[in-house]
Amino acid sequence: MRRWAVGGVALAQLVALAWGSWLLAAMSDVEVKVFQFRPGRLDVKIGRSVTWVNQDDINHTVTSAPQSPGGAFDATLAGKGSTTTVTFAKRGVYPYFCSRHQAMRGEIRVQ
């Protein structure tokens, strides 16, 4: 009986961990996973907030490119599960990248 109880607790912990990861991904607009922003391009309406969630175990940033029309944003996603949210108040194209991994790039298009 004790073996079953310990196994049941371990299974419950695994399910909770998987559910937590799924829930974080479902609440985000952009996932940071395997050194990529997913999706790489996101179209939103003016006034909309976009949330990024880090699914990698290492730190990343969400850093706006200098030509972004609404001003700069630069946030560190400190490890798995960390999030940041930016509200886009002006129409335009907002390219962004990870300052730690320059090949990681994305784009928000505000209409």
Side-chain angles (χ1 to χ4, degrees):
M1 180 70 161
R2 183 177 167 103
R3 178 181 285 167
W4 182 86
V6 171
V9 169
L11 179 60
Q13 288 173 333
L14 283 173
V15 169
L17 182 61
W19 176 254
S21 294
W22 177 85
L23 187 59
L24 274 174
M27 291 175 11
S28 70
D29 297 298
V30 180
E31 272 189 294
V32 182
K33 191 171 186 176
V34 193
F35 294 92
Q36 295 179 2
F37 294 109
R38 296 178 182 177
R41 183 179 121 189
L42 184 65
D43 297 313
V44 300
K45 301 283 185 196
I46 292 175
R48 174 104 167 0
S49 295
V50 174
T51 299
W52 287 260
V53 63
N54 188 357
Q55 297 290 354
D56 286 340
D57 291 325
I58 63 169
N59 293 357
H60 292 291
T61 72
V62 178
T63 305
S64 61
Q67 67 269 27
S68 290
F73 55 89
D74 185 20
T76 298
L77 297 171
K80 192 168 194 164
S82 61
T83 64
T84 192
T85 300
V86 175
T87 301
F88 293 91
K90 288 186 176 180
R91 183 179 314 253
V93 177
Y94 294 78
Y96 64 91
F97 62 98
C98 174
S99 64
R100 297 190 66 204
H101 311 101
Q102 300 272 326
M104 291 177 61
R105 298 189 173 272
E107 183 177 271
I108 305 294
R109 292 179 179 240
V110 181
Q111 305 166 9

